[in-house]
Every structure is written in structure tokens, then in C-alpha cells.
Amino acid sequence: MQHQSNGFQYLGCFLALVIIHAYLLLGLAGAQTVYYEGKTVTILRGGSPGGYGTLQAQALMPYLKKYIPGNPFIFIEHMPGAAGRKAANFIHSVAKPDGLTIGAVGNVLVSGPILGLAGTKYDLDRLIYLGSTESGRPTALGTRKEAGLDSLEKLRAASGTRIGAHSVGHITYVTGRIFAYLLGVKEPRFVVGYSAPERDAALMAGEVDAGTMSPSTIQQNPALLEKVHLHALVNLPRGKYHPVYPPGVPEIDVF
């Protein structure tokens, strides 16, 4: 795992996106039926198997199968690397423009080129956007109870708090740095290189002290709520809470 100091001062939150390379819509419905009949559509998931991004892609599959004329076969292929930017680069520059490759990359699709993250080699304007599997994304910062950081004062007084994330540029990394900056965490250390299940296991085992948690994270691992202190919440759109969070977790803009 690698550690990085916190110098990040950019505040933003990006929707998860599902993208397609070139033309999925090929003209008239009759032509579509002929084109897709007997063919295979690949959902290229920019991440490791097992995370909630995989579950989102799996939930999307029956709807694609239902609404794409011709009843094509649909399957998921995982391409982890650079928080999804490797998959986005592949869709942009390598995948054939034949409507048979769909990218499920996530929020890093937008944050990569905007923040100038290393390894971003695609042009947002050359991609076609189909939609999002999320409408609002509340995210909380939590610390494991064994670390004893059960108040904002203790969190700010501690030095070198280890914040676990997937990889540099992943939404868990971006939101982790946002929280650390806005809450005034002293000299945080970012430990990256985890998949989603690995990060949660590392948090429970004491390998890291903190991490950001979306509703999807908690739905996959409900035991987290019994083992962490939640300190603050980023909620877009504001006021739209998800019931997995306990009441009373303050929104970040009250600090």
C-alpha cells in the first residue's frame, strides 16, 4: 500500500455514469433488431469484481436486454486499474465503435480529466452518455471505534490518521481528501490499493483508521455501522438522506 499526504483542496462530487463508445442507437428500430440479433454486448466494468459498482452493472443488465432490440447476450467484463480510468481509456481509444461495448466506469470518468489525474487519456466530449445508476449520493466519513476518535475534537487532535481508499482518483480517495481538508484532520495518511471488500476488511482489522462510506457500502456490509463512528456527511442533493445512515450525522456545510 502507498501513503500520500493531504494537499488536495478541490471540492466536488460526481455522479456515476454509464457510457457507450460510438453508436448504440443505429437508426430505425427494425435495423436495430437485425443488427443486435445474435450478438453480444459487453459491459466493461472499470473496477474489481465484488464491489457495489459490479452490483449496479448487474442490476442494469436485464433492462438493457429488455430494451435493446434483437435480444443480444449481455455480460460483464472487469478491467480494474487507475480507479476506472484504464477502462475509460480502452473505450475511448481501443474498443470498436460498433455499439457492442458499454462502459460502467463510475464517477472517476468525470473527475479524471477535470482534476488532471495521471493516466487519463480520454476526451469527455467524444463519449456518449446513456445515464446514471444513482440519483444523489450521500457519503459519510467514518472512523473505527477501536481508534477512539469518537468526536470531532479527537479526530482533529489526532495526527497521521490512516484513511483507506481504493486508488488515487477513485471516489473513496476524492471524498476522503475532501473530508480530511474540510474537517481539519491533522497530517492524514491515505492508504490506497484496496478493492471495496478489502478496504472494509482493512478498516475492521485496524489496518486503516478511517474511510468514506456510501449507502451502497453499508448495504453490502451492514456490520460497519456497529463498528464505526460517523463524523460528517456530504449529501447531494442537500437534505436527501438515505435511511442507512443514523439520524444526527451532521452535513459537511455546518462545520
Side-chain angles (χ1 to χ4, degrees), residues 131-150:
S132 172
T133 54
E134 297 184 60
S135 58
R137 184 183 174 87
T139 299
L141 176 72
T143 58
R144 59 187 180 89
K145 288 184 177 180
E146 288 81 359
L149 306 175
D150 57 357

Side-chain angles (χ1 to χ4, degrees), residues 18-115:
V18 178
I19 62 172
I20 189 169
H21 186 73
Y23 57 92
L24 176 60
L25 302 179
L26 298 173
L28 300 177
Q32 287 180 316
T33 301
V34 174
Y35 180 77
Y36 284 102
E37 187 173 359
K39 292 188 177 179
T40 297
V41 174
T42 300
I43 299 178
L44 188 63
R45 168 66 193 145
S48 302
Y52 60 82
T54 297
L55 297 180
Q56 291 173 324
Q58 290 172 337
L60 183 66
M61 290 174 66
Y63 295 94
L64 291 176
K65 192 171 184 64
K66 178 179 179 180
Y67 290 106
I68 296 178
N71 194 32
F73 177 73
I74 301 174
F75 82 106
I76 298 176
E77 178 182 343
H78 290 87
M79 183 179 285
R85 297 192 296 281
K86 181 178 179 180
N89 292 337
F90 181 89
I91 291 168
H92 181 271
S93 304
V94 180
K96 293 181 179 180
D98 54 8
L100 298 178
T101 303
I102 298 175
V105 176
N107 14 53
V108 73
L109 176 72
V110 178
S111 61
I114 288 179
L115 301 180

Side-chain angles (χ1 to χ4, degrees), residues 22-249:
Y23 57 92
L24 176 60
L25 302 179
L26 298 173
L28 300 177
Q32 287 180 316
T33 301
V34 174
Y35 180 77
Y36 284 102
E37 187 173 359
K39 292 188 177 179
T40 297
V41 174
T42 300
I43 299 178
L44 188 63
R45 168 66 193 145
S48 302
Y52 60 82
T54 297
L55 297 180
Q56 291 173 324
Q58 290 172 337
L60 183 66
M61 290 174 66
Y63 295 94
L64 291 176
K65 192 171 184 64
K66 178 179 179 180
Y67 290 106
I68 296 178
N71 194 32
F73 177 73
I74 301 174
F75 82 106
I76 298 176
E77 178 182 343
H78 290 87
M79 183 179 285
R85 297 192 296 281
K86 181 178 179 180
N89 292 337
F90 181 89
I91 291 168
H92 181 271
S93 304
V94 180
K96 293 181 179 180
D98 54 8
L100 298 178
T101 303
I102 298 175
V105 176
N107 14 53
V108 73
L109 176 72
V110 178
S111 61
I114 288 179
L115 301 180
L117 299 177
T120 303
K121 300 176 182 178
Y122 55 89
D123 182 353
L124 285 174
D125 294 332
R126 294 186 60 193
L127 301 172
I128 297 174
Y129 301 86
L130 296 181
S132 172
T133 54
E134 297 184 60
S135 58
R137 184 183 174 87
T139 299
L141 176 72
T143 58
R144 59 187 180 89
K145 288 184 177 180
E146 288 81 359
L149 306 175
D150 57 357
S151 68
L152 181 60
E153 290 73 22
K154 291 181 181 179
L155 179 63
R156 286 174 170 167
S159 181
T161 299
R162 299 166 299 173
I163 301 177
H166 294 39
S167 58
V168 174
H170 191 278
I171 191 62
T172 55
Y173 177 83
V174 173
T175 53
R177 298 200 72 162
I178 290 171
F179 275 116
Y181 173 69
L182 292 179
L183 294 180
V185 178
K186 188 186 302 181
E187 298 182 1
R189 292 188 294 161
F190 288 87
V191 187
V192 300
Y194 297 108
S195 67
E198 289 171 344
R199 196 290 304 265
D200 295 344
L203 183 63
M204 295 301 94
E207 187 174 316
V208 295
D209 305 308
T212 58
M213 301 171 190
S214 69
S216 301
T217 302
I218 296 172
Q219 286 171 332
Q220 281 192 279
N221 191 358
L224 282 174
L225 281 182
E226 301 298 325
K227 299 179 179 180
V228 299
H229 296 293
L230 297 179
H231 296 277
L233 183 71
V234 167
N235 200 17
L236 295 176
R238 190 172 187 272
K240 185 176 180 179
Y241 287 95
H242 193 286
V244 300
Y245 293 117
V249 181

